[in-house]
Amino acid sequence: MTATARRQLSPAWILFILTGLNLFNYLDRFVLSAVLTPLQKDLGLGDNQAGWLATAFIIGYFVTSPVFGWLGDRCSRKWLIAIGILVWSLGTILTDSRRHLR
């Protein structure tokens, strides 16, 4: 094999990886609903404020989806997915580390 040749993933593996990422994407959307009550207690939020928090979360998805759809048509999707996973992971790490700092 030459230095320029790369090993390609089979279509089945690519489908498996993308299906797994899509599963986590859908799970991520429902995490806020699952932790809303403890979050309200922790942050001292009323029901109205918690409702606005959930609304802001969904509006964030609503606003960014067309932007990333447009980018997906014009940029490397591989890099968009990688950057998305990186940002998602950083958010998770920062959220978890903030919790342990208290």
Side-chain angles (χ1 to χ4, degrees):
M1 194 178 331
T2 65
T4 58
R6 294 192 298 178
R7 183 171 175 242
Q8 296 289 323
L9 290 175
S10 71
W13 270 109
I14 293 172
L15 178 63
F16 177 76
I17 291 168
L18 291 175
T19 301
L21 288 172
N22 193 43
L23 171 68
F24 282 116
N25 180 32
Y26 277 100
L27 290 174
D28 188 45
R29 293 179 194 188
F30 295 105
V31 166
L32 183 60
S33 299
V35 298
L36 196 56
T37 302
L39 188 65
Q40 280 182 271
K41 288 181 186 176
D42 194 36
L43 298 177
L45 300 175
D47 289 341
N48 191 29
Q49 292 170 315
W52 278 110
L53 183 64
T55 300
F57 185 78
I58 294 301
I59 288 174
Y61 267 96
F62 174 75
V63 169
T64 58
S65 290
V67 172
F68 283 97
W70 182 84
L71 286 172
D73 288 340
R74 288 159 182 79
C75 302
S76 169
R77 292 180 185 149
K78 176 177 67 174
W79 286 110
L80 285 174
I81 291 169
I83 290 168
I85 292 170
L86 176 69
V87 169
W88 184 8
S89 298
L90 285 174
T92 302
I93 290 167
L94 291 173
T95 301
D96 193 43
S97 64
R98 181 175 173 230
R99 185 178 196 177
H100 292 307
L101 291 176
R102 287 194 215 168

